[in-house]
Structure formats: C-alpha cells, structure tokens
Amino acid sequence: MQTVRTLDFVDSERVAVAGNSQGGGIALATAGLVPDVAALYAQAPFLCDFRRGVRITSEGPYAEIAGYLGAHRWEVEQVFRTLAYFDGIGFAARAIAPAWFSCGLMDGLCPPSTAFGAFHAYGGQKEIQVWDYNGHDAGGAQDLATAVSAFGAVLQK
C-alpha cells in the first residue's frame, strides 16, 4: 500500500483495494490493517471464517485442515486460535472504508456463509451482492462493473 501511494500518478488519499478469491481476502486484510483505505471490493473472499469453512466444504484448504484435525483431535482449539490471526473476519471487524462484497451461493471453494461472516463483521458501511446460481465466479464481469461504479462514486473529489 505504501509503495502504491508513492507513485507519481496516484492520489495517495484515494487508494482503494479490490480482489476476488484469495485477492479478496488480501484486500479485506489490507482494509483492516490500513485505516485510511478509501474503499474495498471483495468478491468471494477467501480464508474467512475458517471454523465454518472446515465444517461445510470438502474443498481445499478446508479439507486439509479437517484432515489434520481428524488426526490431531486434541489440537482443535489451538488450530483455530492460530488460524484466527489471519482469518478475514478479524480484519473485517477492524475495517471502516465503504465496502462492497459479492458471493455465489453455489461456491464450494469459498462457501457463501464464510463471506457472510466477513460481511456481518465488517466495521464500515457495506453492501453485498448475492448470486443465487453462481459458484466461485460470483457475478463475474457484473461484479467488476459494480466495483468500478462504486469506487467512482466514493473516490470522486
């Protein structure tokens, strides 16, 4: 974030973050760690609500965590305590920039309820677009158009 703000063509007071999947999780973390981010867009944010993800999907990395916990039953609380350090929900609770989220209800990789966990924990003004019949792609190009439109309105001086 600091590097982007040093570029000659960037207005350092109007920097937004956006991403999908892992990029959405990273954008969410950035919004939680950098208090003056101007806006956030997170499409199908990854690595949010680990405990929920492990319980409801057989997709990786959640399946790997479940496999580990199946073999190390006595370490469940320690594992989730450690994962909480980089769970998107913790970052969401710290973030205050206007935010737009998106998720597909048929997403097995980033289950929608994990995105809802981050959305509900989010500390700033927020909106979410839910795509009933989409998977990990969520709204695809329509999500990008929403982000560009929303960012335009927020970032105008």
Side-chain angles (χ1 to χ4, degrees):
M1 180 67 91
Q2 298 298 42
T3 302
V4 169
R5 289 180 167 170
T6 65
L7 299 172
D8 292 338
F9 57 89
V10 173
D11 180 343
S12 64
E13 294 179 16
R14 296 187 301 158
V15 177
V17 291
N20 64 315
S21 191
Q22 184 173 2
I26 291 169
L28 186 57
T30 302
L33 293 170
V34 180
D36 60 344
V37 164
L40 161 72
Y41 193 85
Q43 179 188 41
F46 193 42
L47 303 179
C48 296
D49 201 349
F50 282 97
R51 192 179 293 263
R52 175 84 178 140
V54 168
R55 286 183 177 146
I56 65 171
T57 187
S58 60
E59 298 287 331
Y62 301 108
E64 295 168 18
I65 297 168
Y68 179 85
L69 293 175
H72 301 90
R73 293 172 195 89
W74 57 91
E75 295 181 19
V76 171
E77 290 311 312
Q78 177 60 45
V79 165
F80 286 117
R81 208 171 19 258
T82 301
L83 291 172
Y85 284 107
F86 52 93
D87 190 317
I89 288 179
F91 296 112
R94 297 173 49 132
I96 58 172
W100 291 264
F101 289 76
S102 174
C103 68
L105 291 184
M106 302 178 96
D107 189 345
L109 185 60
C110 296
S113 58
T114 65
F116 286 126
F119 174 76
H120 291 301
Y122 196 80
Q125 179 186 352
K126 62 198 176 208
E127 294 182 29
I128 190 166
Q129 175 65 55
V130 177
W131 301 95
D132 294 341
Y133 302 103
N134 291 84
H136 194 54
D137 61 332
Q142 285 180 288
D143 281 341
L144 179 59
T146 298
V148 169
S149 175
F151 282 6
V154 170
L155 300 176
Q156 296 285 329
K157 275 201 168 179

